[in-house]
Amino acid sequence: MVALENECLSVEIAALGGEMQSIRGRSGREYLWQGDAAYWPRRAPNLFPCVGGLTDGVYTLRGQTYALPRHGFVPVTELQLEERTETACTFLLAANEGTRACYPFAFAYRIRYALREAGVEVCYLVENTGGETMFFGLGAHPGFFIPKGQFDACRLVFDAPCAPVRIGVSEKGFVTPRRAAYPLKRGRELPLAGVNFPESLVLTGMSRAVTLCDGNSQPVIRMDFADFPFLVLWRSPGAPFLCIEPWHGLPSREGIREDFATQPSLVCLESGAQFRAAFTITVFEQEQEAIRREKRLC
């Protein structure tokens, strides 16, 4: 387990999947869902080389069929700790015999965590180390704790007025042709009480920063995700958490065994090229706000 800490925040990350296990503010408050098999045992999986599920659990490429688990192999793979300081660390997964059996590309996949005052930046770096174009989906699946009985009073507030489009998703989690406007309250607010969970809410065309506010309209966490075109909201039925997930890519289309070379929304990375996408989670506590104010006055 790797522990990062500054004057505002402490974060713990496991080598398995390079997955965050804890985000604590200066007061000791835990913001990250801590896992519970009764609802959802994970905390903040990293998704690669696919996001969501594949039809029949498989995809095709150059006439060959390959199997991948839901969200890819990274969540269940031990990553190598490549670099570490008190406030930052980088995990690495390089292509190997095991990955090539289900994903026939040469690559280097890195996750870098860096504390920024009361925020943690999560940066994905994918390098195509092979001689052919590679295709992949990539994203994050962090869950944020919401006390029982308070979920329906919470809301998400986007940084700017926007007109999101909801992407249709079947009961089994596959993309459908349905696209529909998803109006926000006052152009910016998404009350959680109005979302039909456990069906995932998949949005595009939204502002790329959003704040989770509690029932007293106080901000809890903010996510900045400018590098990601899709935002997914998910909750296990009745669970005291909300997953706020920035994605690059979408699951398989319903009823279609996807060819990765032609599947819409996947990242296409040329030989020798690098892909970078980052998001930041910022927590809100009175003490941390005071620290930021002091720094601005100095």
Side-chain angles (χ1 to χ4, degrees):
M1 189 78 69
V2 174
L4 308 178
E5 187 172 2
N6 64 11
E7 70 271 27
C8 295
L9 202 64
S10 64
V11 173
E12 294 182 352
I13 308 109
L16 181 63
E19 181 177 345
M20 281 191 295
Q21 301 295 296
S22 175
I23 303 175
R24 288 185 180 272
R26 186 184 179 95
S27 69
R29 176 180 178 180
E30 179 63 67
Y31 289 83
L32 196 67
W33 168 246
Q34 290 300 286
D36 184 338
Y39 297 111
W40 181 56
R42 304 304 297 264
R43 301 185 184 190
N46 298 295
L47 319 180
F48 179 87
C50 64
V51 294
L54 302 172
T55 300
D56 300 326
V58 301
Y59 69 97
T60 63
L61 185 70
R62 297 187 297 272
Q64 298 294 313
T65 298
Y66 301 90
L68 277 174
R70 186 176 184 82
H71 298 318
F73 46 68
V74 161
V76 294
T77 301
E78 291 278 338
L79 275 57
Q80 173 190 345
L81 179 61
E82 186 177 42
E83 296 178 337
R84 178 184 178 181
T85 67
E86 288 186 359
T87 59
C89 66
T90 302
F91 288 89
L92 166 67
L93 175 64
N96 54 54
E97 183 177 349
T99 65
R100 290 190 185 96
C102 57
Y103 184 68
F105 295 105
F107 66 87
Y109 168 90
R110 289 178 170 88
I111 311 170
R112 177 173 173 78
Y113 294 93
L115 303 189
R116 315 286 190 197
E117 292 189 340
V120 53
E121 180 188 65
V122 184
C123 181
Y124 299 111
L125 296 165
V126 181
E127 181 181 2
N128 183 346
T129 59
E132 59 187 352
T133 302
M134 64 181 286
F135 310 92
F136 60 87
L138 173 150
H141 195 328
F144 300 100
F145 176 69
I146 297 175
K148 285 189 176 182
Q150 298 183 25
F151 189 91
D152 285 350
C154 295
R155 60 196 170 103
L156 295 172
V157 181
F158 288 93
D159 264 25
C162 52
V165 172
R166 181 174 190 173
I167 296 171
V169 177
S170 71
E171 291 183 359
K172 294 183 178 180
F174 299 114
V175 173
T176 71
R178 186 176 74 251
R179 302 290 184 275
Y182 196 85
L184 302 176
K185 191 175 180 180
R186 289 185 280 273
R188 296 177 55 193
E189 300 177 15
L190 195 163
L192 297 187
V195 183
N196 181 27
F197 293 108
E199 182 180 347
S200 295
L201 177 58
V202 182
L203 300 177
T204 190
M206 64 278 136
S207 170
R208 301 295 180 86
V210 68
T211 299
L212 172 65
C213 296
D214 65 20
N216 296 316
S217 296
Q218 296 301 306
V220 179
I221 66 100
R222 168 190 167 101
M223 182 180 288
D224 293 84
F225 56 102
D227 295 336
F228 294 83
F230 305 106
L231 185 68
V232 180
L233 305 177
W234 177 78
R235 176 201 190 197
S236 181
F241 70 85
L242 175 69
C243 288
I244 306 175
E245 310 173 37
W247 283 11
H248 234 297
L250 291 171
S252 288
R253 291 167 290 178
E254 188 172 29
I256 296 176
R257 282 193 174 189
E258 298 284 6
D259 183 333
F260 263 24
T262 60
Q263 181 178 348
S265 79
L266 292 187
V267 178
C268 174
L269 191 63
E270 299 297 326
S271 173
Q274 293 185 335
F275 173 86
R276 179 188 185 278
F279 68 96
T280 300
I281 299 167
T282 302
V283 307
F284 291 89
E285 290 189 338
Q286 290 182 353
E287 290 184 9
Q288 292 163 356
E289 292 300 310
I291 290 170
R292 284 196 285 268
R293 285 196 296 271
E294 287 179 9
K295 286 189 174 182
R296 286 194 291 267
L297 292 173
C298 293

